[in-house]
Amino acid sequence: MEAKDAYLKLAEMMRYPESKELISLLQFLLTPIQAQIAASLPASHQELARKFGLSAEEVDKNLRDMFNRGLIFPKDFSTMDGARFARSLPQLHDANLSDLRWDPKKESELAQKWQAFYRSGYDRDHALWFLQTGVPIQRVLPAIKAFPPDSKFE
């Protein structure tokens, strides 16, 4: 699989294969080899090394880098086994932007890429999805004082 196909596959997994903005964001987040690895998950270190002509150590280094930046999620954090790419855009967004090493004031391009993707239609689609579910998706949990058990909310 070539890198351009890998970025497209990842965009398809996020349900936005036609989004130039999402593909641009993915290209910013992932090197070509990381995109190919992410698009091939789940797979063992040995399978990925064989498939891409890398050492198992290089595969592990790429997996750990993607994990640390909130792009992949392993079943076993110590070995990176069972890793998979983010299962949804909200997961990718929240995990990626939660990287404490990222300083949005010094490195604003990441935020600009996310914002370009939102404005390309994702924010509208996401809002419509919330409205169409008919089920409350989020709720407020009091952090300081709890509501009495017999409180009624509408």
Side-chain angles (χ1 to χ4, degrees):
M1 172 185 315
E2 291 188 33
K4 67 178 180 124
D5 297 325
Y7 291 116
L8 180 60
K9 180 178 179 184
L10 295 172
E12 287 172 352
M13 290 168 61
M14 298 293 104
R15 299 188 174 145
Y16 282 86
E18 305 295 322
S19 174
K20 290 179 261 176
E21 294 81 7
L22 179 57
I23 291 174
S24 175
L25 172 64
L26 292 170
Q27 289 170 335
F28 181 79
L29 292 171
L30 299 158
T31 66
I33 193 65
Q34 287 177 337
Q36 291 171 298
I37 290 170
S40 299
L41 294 174
S44 71
H45 284 55
Q46 293 75 20
E47 290 171 313
L48 294 167
R50 233 182 349 268
K51 185 173 185 175
F52 299 111
L54 301 170
S55 68
E57 292 78 24
E58 289 174 299
V59 169
D60 189 68
K61 181 181 173 186
N62 279 292
L63 289 172
R64 289 183 188 284
D65 177 59
M66 289 187 284
F67 168 67
N68 288 330
R69 293 184 299 116
L71 305 173
I72 65 164
F73 303 86
K75 284 186 179 178
D76 183 337
F77 300 109
S78 64
T79 63
M80 302 307 288
D81 286 342
R84 60 168 175 72
F85 190 67
R87 69 177 166 258
S88 67
L89 277 163
Q91 182 184 39
L92 179 64
H93 170 271
D94 292 353
N96 175 242
L97 293 179
S98 296
D99 183 349
L100 296 176
R101 297 167 297 171
W102 175 59
D103 182 348
K105 291 183 179 173
K106 292 181 183 172
E107 304 162 352
S108 63
E109 191 174 0
L110 177 59
Q112 291 167 357
K113 297 257 183 207
W114 272 109
Q115 188 172 49
F117 174 61
Y118 301 151
R119 290 185 174 166
S120 72
Y122 174 71
D123 56 354
R124 180 196 65 243
D125 295 346
H126 197 64
L128 289 172
W129 178 79
F130 271 102
L131 291 172
Q132 292 170 350
T133 63
V135 176
I137 305 288
Q138 300 174 336
R139 65 181 187 170
V140 175
L141 297 175
I144 298 171
K145 184 177 178 183
F147 292 104
D150 59 343
S151 299
K152 301 233 188 282
F153 302 97
E154 292 183 36

